Amino acid sequence: MRSNVISIILFSLWISSCGNSIFEAAETTKDPAEEATRALEEGDYETAISVLTSALESEPTNYQYVSLLASAKAQKAGVDTMDFALEMASGNTSDSGITGLFSVVSDATADNLTALGEAVDLMDTIPSSDQTAADQFKTSMFYTSLMTMRTKALDTDGDGVLSAEELANNLNDSNASDIINSIVGAEDALANYTADDGTGDAAGNVSAIKDAIDSQDGATDAEKLRNYLGS
């Protein structure tokens, strides 16, 4: 089952964005999508960002480039989208919730939060009529990663656990709203997404997190989120 999920997510996040196998050698082409994909395979997100930014100057509505640029921004933020999607699909979040995802996102630095925010903003520029199923799934994973990183910022001692003191001191109406909006964005991205494969498990767990937060007592986002994270 795990190998099946891995192959599906590899296909969903990368291959369908390029139209070619990411493992094919690009001997003669200078296609920006292939060049950027190869750079991302090598972890060279700066080259990918440069190539795609330049390509979009002449083709601003090439949504294949936009989707790949979003992937490059996520990589810049230290998020391995495939690892994150696999963790979401595993169902481990049903017990540990958002904190169970802390290990698959990078530190919640200002630079990482900015880059990941840019990734979701880019995906949101793709009109629904031009979105592929892979785009819908990827957008959801980016939003869920952003939600996780924003929540991880509350863990000021870095122990992977949100104490009552950390929640009381660090969670306010503003950042609670940002966290809630991220999971709403993740759920919205999946509104028209259907899957009979492992990605469906990851997608279902996005809604499970949102439902768990909504079910908490509280008159504000901060109260609901504090009760959810403290439970």
Side-chain angles (χ1 to χ4, degrees), residues 129-150:
S129 59
D130 291 295
Q131 290 177 1
T132 65
D135 288 332
Q136 293 167 349
F137 182 74
K138 185 164 69 171
T139 302
S140 179
M141 291 301 99
F142 287 168
Y143 264 114
T144 311
S145 298
L146 182 58
M147 171 205 66
T148 303
M149 194 179 289
R150 283 172 167 168

Side-chain angles (χ1 to χ4, degrees), residues 95-141:
D95 294 325
S96 54
I98 300 174
T99 57
L101 296 168
F102 282 4
S103 63
V104 286
V105 298
S106 52
D107 292 339
T109 65
D111 286 345
N112 287 341
L113 286 164
T114 295
L116 196 50
E118 289 172 349
V120 299
D121 288 345
L122 282 163
M123 295 305 295
D124 282 344
T125 67
I126 303 176
S128 57
S129 59
D130 291 295
Q131 290 177 1
T132 65
D135 288 332
Q136 293 167 349
F137 182 74
K138 185 164 69 171
T139 302
S140 179
M141 291 301 99

Side-chain angles (χ1 to χ4, degrees), residues 1-230:
M1 174 63 180
R2 182 175 176 82
S3 62
N4 182 48
V5 173
I6 292 173
S7 64
I8 290 164
I9 290 174
L10 279 166
F11 177 84
S12 296
L13 298 183
W14 300 102
I15 296 175
S16 65
S17 296
C18 303
N20 296 298
S21 169
I22 60 175
F23 302 108
E24 290 178 359
E27 295 179 354
T28 60
T29 182
K30 290 292 186 179
D31 179 71
E34 291 187 12
E35 188 177 354
T37 299
R38 186 167 300 280
L40 289 174
E41 287 178 326
E42 297 171 353
D44 186 4
Y45 59 80
E46 293 289 5
T47 292
I49 290 171
S50 177
V51 167
L52 293 163
T53 300
S54 178
L56 281 165
E57 289 178 359
S58 57
E59 296 183 68
T61 59
N62 187 318
Y63 298 118
Q64 179 186 21
Y65 296 167
V66 172
S67 183
L68 280 170
L69 181 56
S71 293
K73 294 286 188 176
Q75 191 177 102
K76 181 178 180 178
V79 173
D80 186 315
T81 314
M82 286 178 284
D83 282 352
F84 190 88
L86 284 169
E87 187 64 22
M88 285 295 297
S90 71
N92 294 336
T93 56
S94 60
D95 294 325
S96 54
I98 300 174
T99 57
L101 296 168
F102 282 4
S103 63
V104 286
V105 298
S106 52
D107 292 339
T109 65
D111 286 345
N112 287 341
L113 286 164
T114 295
L116 196 50
E118 289 172 349
V120 299
D121 288 345
L122 282 163
M123 295 305 295
D124 282 344
T125 67
I126 303 176
S128 57
S129 59
D130 291 295
Q131 290 177 1
T132 65
D135 288 332
Q136 293 167 349
F137 182 74
K138 185 164 69 171
T139 302
S140 179
M141 291 301 99
F142 287 168
Y143 264 114
T144 311
S145 298
L146 182 58
M147 171 205 66
T148 303
M149 194 179 289
R150 283 172 167 168
T151 306
K152 190 173 182 178
L154 307 175
D155 180 25
T156 49
D157 64 8
D159 66 354
V161 177
L162 292 172
S163 66
E165 182 178 5
E166 286 173 325
L167 290 173
N169 292 337
N170 303 328
L171 184 60
N172 53 48
D173 288 337
S174 178
N175 54 30
S177 180
D178 288 341
I179 292 168
I180 296 291
N181 286 339
S182 296
I183 195 64
V184 169
E187 194 171 48
D188 287 349
L190 296 169
N192 299 312
Y193 180 76
T194 57
D196 296 323
D197 49 48
T199 61
D201 296 331
N205 286 330
V206 170
S207 294
I209 292 173
K210 178 63 166 54
D211 291 344
I213 295 171
D214 287 343
S215 69
Q216 300 297 317
D217 292 332
T220 66
D221 286 343
E223 290 175 358
K224 285 180 177 290
L225 195 56
R226 189 174 291 112
N227 288 332
Y228 166 77
L229 293 171

